[in-house]
Amino acid sequence: MDIGEFVKDRARAAELIGHLESIGRPDFDVRLPAVEDLPQVLLDLAVPHEDIDLLVAQLPSPERDPRTWRLLECCTHAVVRPMGAIEEWPPFQTLAPSMGILGRYFYVYVFLAALPHVQDFHRARGIPEDVSRSTFADLGRCMADHHYWYGVGGLDAMLASWLRLHFSGAIYQLGRLQFQRARLGNRTGQGVSASGLPYGPGDHTLGMHIPAWYGPLTPAACERSLAAAREFFPRYFPAEDCHIATCHSWLLDTQLAEYLPADSNILQFQRRFRLAHESAADDADTLRFVFGRIGTPLDQLPRETRLQRAILDHLKAGRHWHGGAGWFALDGERHGFEPTAPSH
């Protein structure tokens, strides 16, 4: 079977198709929960209630649709095969419209099939059940994002590519923040090295992510998450000697300081980091996360909060949002090193 027939844009998806075809069928049985068990599994993953009946109704099976099942096997293998590794893989791609409703929900089934394998990985490491539960619940959060952005249920390729990290043992939610086992890239790593610290490109880092639908980003909540991370990763991943935290986000755009008060949660979060570099202009990314609406004219977007007004006023003035990449030393006191506020 040609995997490419399921992908909307085969030219862009060539890398993924080649990857899936190269790894072939998994050396384990791909299984999905039974129909009668599926609703409870979905609820445990925080899947929105309104999606559950559709997911049960569309549940794939090798007998009913062997071609779709073959794709499910390959995509599940792509998630499970790098379990525990720190690697970059080709992103998932938008599926062909001919798949209909199943195409919108297909990647949910991939993560349902991968779930027992990542649960085994967590148990083998001794990772606490509450951490596992919070981490896997990002599936439901991403499906809520899909509702918010598109107005329909599902899980698009961008969100599915992000969730591969959770279901292959790379990301963990510890309170307000999520932390990704990763390595320093060239530009950020060079910035760390230039500061005088003994770390640089390729060294282990914890990538910090800020999940939506989890309340305000208060300094106290961030401190609790960081304290948890400083204990969690040396205990459960002792071979990864990690001393640097990084973040790449629209929240690190230094232009936000022109609009927000100094004691705002966003600016206090920014001041934890040294800015490694500014990202390329990406207004769509900022609009997506602040307003959750894609393609809506600016004059139709709400101006209910200080942040919303700042984002819109900036764009209407002909300027752009960039985001940024920043870092700080997790054990700054040991190095006599403190983060500095980003320059403006």
Side-chain angles (χ1 to χ4, degrees), residues 13 15-20 78 88-93 161 164:
E15 185 180 7
L16 174 64
I17 294 168
H19 174 58
L20 293 179
E88 291 188 10
W89 296 96
F92 285 133
Q93 292 289 332
S161 297
R164 288 176 71 172

Side-chain angles (χ1 to χ4, degrees), residues 164-186:
R164 288 176 71 172
L165 298 169
H166 303 64
F167 285 80
S168 62
I171 274 186
Y172 298 86
Q173 178 139 356
L174 302 172
R176 182 63 185 87
L177 302 172
Q178 295 176 349
F179 296 87
Q180 176 184 352
R181 299 165 47 234
R183 294 185 182 277
L184 287 168
N186 285 331

Side-chain angles (χ1 to χ4, degrees), residues 6 37 53 81 126 167 182 194 206 247 259 306 313 319 323 326 328:
F6 290 100
D37 298 327
D53 284 350
R81 189 183 189 197
F167 285 80
L206 292 182
C247 183
Y259 303 94
R306 189 193 298 265
D313 290 344
R319 302 171 69 187
F328 64 86

